[in-house]
Amino acid sequence: MIDSTPVSVDVLVLRFDPEARTVLLGVAPRAAEPFAGDLALPGVLLGVGERLRDAGARAVVTKLALPPGTLTATGQLITFDEPNRDPRGPTLSVALWATTNPGPAVSENVLWTPLDKVPPLAFDHDRIVADCRPLLADRLWRDTGFTAGLLGRIFTTAQALDASEALTGDRPYPANLGRTMERVPGLRRTTEHAAALPKGGRPPSLWQWE
């Protein structure tokens, strides 16, 4: 009998924080060796007969202490196959993305960090974050499930700018982003505006998914 290579499922869980005005990534300290105590993406080994999405949801519940059902959307990214990525032996890692609502109940052990300030992570998770970030940025405004899951049903132009900057590293011009958003199926600019700004000025437009 030929032994199969273990497959791990590692999840990049994202949430948009309106107060911090950025996208946050959830990581947590590992409870067991190897790398016990080191921060890592939530991950589990794929069980026999288990679907990737189910394994990803299990990882989020057990490692980030998020209640079941708090993920707003999920999807698959890429596979990492570096033979030395795990000191226990060769494994494959399937990277998934997931979004959660802006204010989930989180454990005090879980760290929600901006994408440009992610601390060193266990295994090859630093590479996973670095390689997947541009893929996530490309999904914004192209993948309606990802975009709606990240920003919610209703959001402002300012929040759209903040999310774009967090994922791409560059802040887009508002007019250019507005034209991009107008072409997104199911997304429309409403006639309403957010609350007036404290120092005056025109309040930002509101966008809504139909």
Side-chain angles (χ1 to χ4, degrees), residues 33-118:
E33 295 291 350
F35 305 113
D38 291 353
L39 292 171
L41 295 171
V44 294
L45 289 177
L46 185 67
V48 176
E50 188 176 30
R51 302 292 296 271
L52 291 173
R53 180 172 297 184
D54 294 335
R58 178 164 59 88
V60 171
V61 170
T62 58
K63 303 301 175 64
L64 296 187
L66 291 179
T70 57
L71 297 183
T72 51
T74 60
Q76 186 172 337
L77 291 165
I78 52 178
T79 300
F80 293 83
D81 61 355
E82 169 58 47
N84 298 320
R85 62 174 306 275
D86 189 326
R88 294 168 294 188
T91 62
L92 297 176
S93 172
V94 180
L96 305 182
W97 63 264
T99 56
T100 187
N101 55 56
V106 295
S107 167
E108 62 181 11
N109 292 326
V110 175
L111 173 66
W112 291 93
T113 175
L115 289 171
D116 58 355
K117 296 180 180 179
V118 178

Side-chain angles (χ1 to χ4, degrees), residues 14 25 32 37 58 64 74 91 97 103 118 124 130 144 154 156 183:
L14 305 174
L25 173 74
R58 178 164 59 88
L64 296 187
T74 60
T91 62
W97 63 264
V118 178
D124 60 343
T144 56
I154 300 176
T156 68
R183 295 193 294 269

